[in-house]
Amino acid sequence: MLDMPPLSNAGGAIEHRLDYADGSSRRVFVTHVETPYPQGRLIVSRTDTRGIITQCNQSFVDMSGYERSELIGQPHCLLRHPDMPAAAFRDLWETVQAGRQWHGYVKNLRKDGGHYWVFATVVPNVRDERIVGYTSVRREPSREKVAQAEATYREWIRS
Amino acid sequence: MSFNFTVSPSFPAERISDWYIFNTWLQRSLSIPIHLELHDGFDAQRAAIAAGQVDLIHANPFDASLLVREKGFRAIAQPDGAPDEMVVVTALGHPAQAIGDLQPGTRIACANDPCVNTIGRILLEPANLNADNTVEQQRGTYIQVAKDVLRGQVDVGFMPVGAYRGLSSIVRRELKVLVTSDIQVIHHVFLIGRDLHSRADDFVRILLSMHETEKGQDLLSALGATRWQPIQQEDVEFMIDIISTLTQ
């Protein structure tokens, strides 16, 4: 996965290095700008069993800040925000690979370094008793739940 | 032997006669006897499905989930046009201007439509509203839902976009839409049961060419579409995966 290029017009962007479970890493630049969740929408995407994006709806494209062509074929962790603890994604993968549904609050990183919060549900796509991929649907979370998740994730990262 | 056809009971009442005409057209086109049974509500329809009394159905996405995954139904086609969306409405004079203004104790009027009600519940989540801190009142029709909202007997009403647009302009002027869903990816779908799988190609052929005749166009228009579109089984499986994330 490519490093994020330095942001040209976002003063105060902070550089982070994200380390992934497969040993790879990525440099990202993060701002404090939050994009509000668009009312009434669901953000939908689908990946193969390795987490590579194979399909997404327009809401996914709009909120990510990327072009659709920049998303398809990329690992889903392209959207990982450094404020999200690795343990949350470990739990996600362990749950869905075991054939169960996972849900939780997620802070996603946009291409412009900003972020958006979602309540995400991920299900394995089971065909002929075999997992062939994963579908993720995100919806708008309440601000109260976001505040709780922020506090929890800060604690996880600190410990 | 006659095959039983039904339609998920979320369509506007003024389309009942059009579905009977569609059924006659279907029988003539396929040269098989088909009996159309329109159920009063979702409970009656689910009971008919459970009793094996449905062979073909124009199903909403939630019914499609049950029928494909548990009953072996096969997807044939889907109508074109806008996907299935819904609105949360309140009375024009209600103090709430957005979903975030709604408070615990909010009273909701809705019909017995699990598809619309599930999406409606999701649209209330940003205000931290759920089944435990709201009061739900089920009504027989969407006109009754609108009346309850206008009379102030409830704070909000759930209804499909089609039912909202079908209200008279006088009623709509007195309502305020707090939010319209924009899900984009869930649709009604035409399904056939196991006893008709051997005729699947015939169903696909006649439905996909229905718009090619003037009569077919008129009928499609009456049903709110311009043509049937092909659908792959995997498209339906994907939609079912999406539905499964909404119902947990």
Side-chain angles (χ1 to χ4, degrees), chain A residues 23-39:
Chain A
S24 64
S25 64
R26 183 180 183 227
R27 184 184 63 168
V28 296
F29 294 87
V30 174
T31 74
H32 292 294
V33 179
E34 177 170 2
T35 298
Y37 193 101
Q39 267 201 342

Side-chain angles (χ1 to χ4, degrees), chain A residues 91-159:
Chain A
D91 179 52
L92 186 163
W93 278 106
E94 284 172 5
T95 302
V96 296
Q97 283 173 343
R100 300 193 307 273
Q101 184 177 101
W102 182 91
H103 52 82
Y105 295 88
V106 178
K107 184 177 188 177
N108 279 329
L109 179 66
R110 285 170 50 88
K111 183 181 181 181
D112 63 9
H115 67 273
Y116 57 100
W117 276 94
V118 298
F119 176 69
T121 305
V122 186
V123 292
N125 305 140
V126 180
R127 307 288 185 266
D128 299 323
E129 300 177 5
R130 201 168 55 88
I131 296 174
V132 297
Y134 302 98
T135 294
S136 178
V137 177
R138 297 79 160 181
R139 52 212 220 209
E140 184 177 2
S142 74
R143 296 314 303 181
E144 189 182 323
K145 301 282 190 201
V146 167
Q148 288 170 4
E150 268 185 310
T152 302
Y153 293 155
R154 245 192 323 266
E155 195 57 40
W156 286 11
I157 287 173
R158 217 179 280 137
S159 61

Side-chain angles (χ1 to χ4, degrees), chain B residues 193-211:
Chain B
R194 286 199 177 98
D195 289 345
L196 285 167
H197 282 188
S198 62
R199 301 293 303 268
D201 290 347
D202 296 330
F203 274 97
V204 169
R205 180 175 47 77
I206 65 147
L207 287 178
L208 296 192
S209 61
M210 188 178 177
H211 64 282

